[in-house]
Amino acid sequence: MRRYRRWMAALLAAATAAISVFPCLALPAAESFAEFHIGASSTDAPEHTLSIARYTRGADGSFQLSGSEELVCKLNRVTGDANFFIQPSEEGVWVTVDYLSDVNSDGVYELLDGGSRPAWEVMNVQSELAAPQGQVPTLAAGEMYILSSELLVQRSEQAAQERLSGGAHALEGAPETSAETVFPLCVITLRAADGRDQVFYLQIYEDVLVPLDISPTDSYYDAVVFCLFRGYFTGTGGGRFSPDSSLTRAQMAQVLWTICGSPDAGSTTFTDVPEGAWYYQAVSWCQQTELISGQGGNTFAPNSLLTREQMAAILYRYARHTGSSLRATADMSRFSDLDSVSPWAYSSMQWAATNWLINISDGALLPKNTVTRAELAEALYAYDINLVFQSF
């Protein structure tokens, strides 16, 4: 498994301060013989279905497929600065860690059953992890034990390497290398002396929780992660981003207002923007700064879907507002649907094409097509790369 991306840290190191203290999330359990807490700068726990392939160890030591299942669980997603706090309330509690790998990057996780030679590891009183040997170490009641995400990531990567065809405990039919980046996924089980278990599924990201519906193979992956990291966007709930959902004019106003620090904006004169609406302040600010114009008759049309040429015009005004370059040198004659660009949008579409803010499909600008959340993320990512960072 390749270590997952670190480009964002390099790109934004000068602008981002490290966070060292976080509130802890306590995870409830029906059988509370031990407390389990998560401390991280960002965490959530959407319900998620995991596709799991179970393997057993063969006589030669390799793992062979024994079955598959769909497991519905609370997936505790955390950023890479997380620590996990375990405090038993009874004597005899012990902790195991399983590593779910996806060595061929097909979205199906491998879970190993070692039988008499367990594939999982146990935690000792020094919060170290090792394969079980003899009697398992138990934890003292009332004591606090800490597992770091750094250790779990390291052990997850080692486990994945061992499961490749050249590894010490290779899976049957495993590839030589992992094709794509996979975020480490661990199963921590707190075990009581009488057989009760508390099971927690953990997925560890780096700087930001990557939505479950965004894959490293998606063309817009970097853009979405970048915008989430910068706080330009939030997810749509349930650990998802909804990349193909269309954007409204109100949502565009909200994004720009957020990027600029959510400044106080006073009131708006648009008659279809009610005071108290979630987008009221954003629309008011965009009206006052002349970033988004009305739709006639003193209306804003907040729920109208945003088109590509509207997005280009708004970002062009935003560039003028912030003092970014308005250079526009793209040869517009090469686009097959140039005649469909509205006259008021020509300059901004040329500027957007010059700075790669819009994707060109088969030589067409598609100015009247609606903008998706992923497309806006790509535009904002390109804006920062081509018009902000290049000015430093």
Side-chain angles (χ1 to χ4, degrees), residues 3-11 153 157 206-207:
R3 185 175 298 275
Y4 48 92
R5 302 174 186 225
R6 297 191 177 276
W7 59 266
M8 194 175 299
L11 184 62
V153 169
E157 291 180 341
E206 189 177 6
D207 301 301

Side-chain angles (χ1 to χ4, degrees), residues 71-85:
L71 175 66
V72 178
C73 65
K74 288 290 186 182
L75 185 58
N76 298 284
R77 300 165 1 107
V78 301
T79 42
D81 48 29
N83 285 309
F84 309 97
F85 304 89

Side-chain angles (χ1 to χ4, degrees), residues 56-63 117 168-170:
T56 56
R57 197 192 299 267
D60 62 352
S62 67
F63 286 92
R117 291 177 291 170
H169 307 292

Side-chain angles (χ1 to χ4, degrees), residues 51-58 62-69 99 101-104 106 108-115 117 119 163 169-175:
S51 297
I52 294 178
R54 290 189 174 272
Y55 286 77
T56 56
R57 197 192 299 267
S62 67
F63 286 92
Q64 301 171 1
L65 181 65
S66 62
S68 60
E69 63 181 288
Y99 306 103
S101 58
D102 183 10
V103 296
N104 59 0
D106 62 356
V108 179
Y109 288 92
E110 299 92 19
L111 182 61
L112 309 187
D113 180 6
R117 291 177 291 170
R163 296 171 188 181
H169 307 292
L171 298 168
E172 182 183 50

Side-chain angles (χ1 to χ4, degrees), residues 6 92 110 134 189 214 279 282 287 362 376 390:
R6 297 191 177 276
E110 299 92 19
T189 306
I214 299 293
Y279 49 81
Q287 181 185 24
D362 296 327
L376 179 56
Q390 286 188 7

Side-chain angles (χ1 to χ4, degrees), residues 250-251 253-254 257 265-268 270-285 300-303:
Q251 290 169 334
Q254 185 76 14
W257 182 63
S267 59
T268 179
F270 291 127
T271 58
D272 58 349
V273 178
E275 189 172 356
W278 60 265
Y279 49 81
Y280 184 87
Q281 283 289 304
V283 171
S284 178
W285 179 79
F300 181 76
N303 297 318

Side-chain angles (χ1 to χ4, degrees), residues 35 46 58 83 119 126 167 180 201 235 262 268 295 312 314 326 349 362:
E35 293 185 5
N83 285 309
Q126 286 80 38
E180 296 294 340
Y201 293 84
S262 305
T268 179
Q295 293 286 282
I314 292 167
L326 299 178
M349 286 293 281
D362 296 327

